[in-house]
Structure formats: structure tokens, C-alpha cells
Amino acid sequence: MAVEFEDGVVICADSRTTTGAYIANRVTDKLSMVHDRIYCCRSGSAADTQAIADLVAYYLELHAVELGEAPEVATAAALFQKMCYNNRDNLMASIICAGWDKRHGGSVYTIPLGGAKIRQPVAVGGSGSTYITGYIDANYKKGMTREECLQFCRNAVSLAMERDGSSGGVIRTAVITESGVERAMVPGDKLPSRKFWRD
């Protein structure tokens, strides 16, 4: 999931990769950097989303050299959208593209299955998202601070991990602002959802 705040964006994901009922990797990094201040959250087929993220990163690097400056988040989202839409019959890829650029500040785009592109202040995706839409609707508010956004994302992903068998592991977060990217990880035994069940 990803959330915009005044100075940038917060992106967050769990770390479980499954093959049917089998957990293939419990510590996957689903937050992929496609440029210095642009990341994507990947869900769907790991092979498809990794390939698309690698291609977008390649094209953005070429674009940045051509422009002589960092690309916009909207450009990255448009590349994701073009690849997902043009190959919609062959891919199972849902992407959230988020980051910071000097023209628009922090921005979040969602590219769901089928290849639409929608800018939203908060975006969720993946199998666990169906379990937390009510929590997001009830708790998201405009104008949240960086820390509020971080806690909101960690709470939401943690709740999804409690309910969804295909979500789990650790929570990885990235805060993207003009000053750079700050990555963090919440281990599985320190998930915020544990307080919901204790209270």
C-alpha cells in the first residue's frame, strides 16, 4: 500500500511469496526501486512484476539521461501502465507506483490488473487488500503527518497479514521525500496488529 503526505509518500508491504499453499519465500522485498525517488509495490505473479519493474527501471534511467534530471512519478506510472495494458492477456501484475519529484511532490498511482492508471492519495493492492478496505476507509484522513502515515500503513498491512494466508512475514516500509528514501522493517514478532488482539 502507499499513502501521500505533505512532504512525500509512505509505501509499505508484507514479505510473503506463495506458490499455491506453499510459502516460497517469507522475506521477499516487494518494494522495488525503479529510480532514486520512485518505488513500486508489486503484487500478482512475482516473475511478471519483477520483469516489469526491471524494464521500467531501465527505461527511466535512459529517460533521466536524456532529460538531464530525475524523471517524474507520473512518467514511471505511465510506463507501468503501458506495459501492463499492452500485455494484459499474458500478465498477472498489479503495481502501486509511488515517489517524489520536483514538479508534483509526493504522488501515488495504482495500476491494477488490466492496466488502468489511477492517481489516489492512498492505494492498496494484493490479496490482503480485501481484508483491510474497511479499516482504510475508517482510519484514513487527509493531511496526516509522516509518522501518522507510517503507523497507518503498518497497522493496515499487519491486519491484512493476520487474515490473509498469502500475506505474512515482516513489514517493509519506505518513506520517500525530497531528501531521499528511508527504509525500515518491522519483524514478525513486533507487528502492530498484536495490540489489537491484546486490548
Side-chain angles (χ1 to χ4, degrees):
M1 72 177 291
V3 183
E4 295 177 2
F5 66 99
E6 186 179 358
D7 298 323
V9 296
V10 173
I11 61 171
C12 184
D14 72 305
S15 66
R16 180 175 289 176
T17 298
T18 56
T19 307
Y22 177 73
I23 298 170
N25 188 343
R26 60 194 175 94
V27 287
T28 305
D29 190 356
K30 296 181 184 179
L31 307 179
S32 298
M33 183 177 80
V34 292
H35 206 267
D36 295 344
R37 288 180 180 79
I38 306 172
Y39 274 66
C40 71
C41 298
R42 303 177 292 107
S43 62
S45 163
D48 291 350
T49 58
Q50 284 173 358
I52 292 167
D54 288 347
L55 282 167
V56 169
Y58 170 75
Y59 285 123
L60 282 179
E61 190 59 39
L62 291 177
H63 185 60
V65 169
E66 187 178 348
L67 286 177
E69 62 183 25
E72 295 179 14
V73 181
T75 303
L79 285 168
F80 276 117
Q81 189 264 337
K82 186 174 180 65
M83 287 183 201
C84 290
Y85 180 78
N86 288 345
N87 299 286
R88 63 192 176 279
D89 295 330
N90 303 311
L91 295 176
M92 194 164 101
S94 178
I95 306 283
I96 295 171
C97 181
W100 183 93
D101 62 67
K102 67 180 184 181
R103 181 170 295 166
H104 303 289
S107 52
V108 172
Y109 292 85
T110 182
I111 299 97
L113 293 173
K117 181 185 73 164
I118 307 145
R119 182 170 180 187
Q120 299 176 301
V122 59
V124 293
S127 61
S129 63
T130 56
Y131 295 92
I132 58 170
T133 51
Y135 176 83
I136 288 167
D137 288 346
N139 291 279
Y140 172 75
K141 55 187 185 293
K142 273 191 121 159
M144 287 194 290
T145 66
R146 167 196 164 117
E147 289 308 316
E148 287 173 329
C149 285
L150 258 175
Q151 197 56 54
F152 171 67
C153 288
R154 287 175 176 160
N155 287 346
V157 170
S158 180
L159 288 168
M161 290 164 66
E162 292 285 341
R163 298 288 185 194
D164 178 35
S166 295
S167 301
V170 302
I171 296 175
R172 298 187 194 279
T173 61
V175 180
I176 307 168
T177 61
E178 181 178 9
S179 57
V181 180
E182 186 181 313
R183 298 285 309 256
M185 186 267 295
V186 179
D189 63 341
K190 297 204 168 37
L191 297 176
S193 62
R194 301 200 181 277
K195 75 177 168 79
F196 289 107
W197 311 127
R198 279 197 305 265
D199 292 347

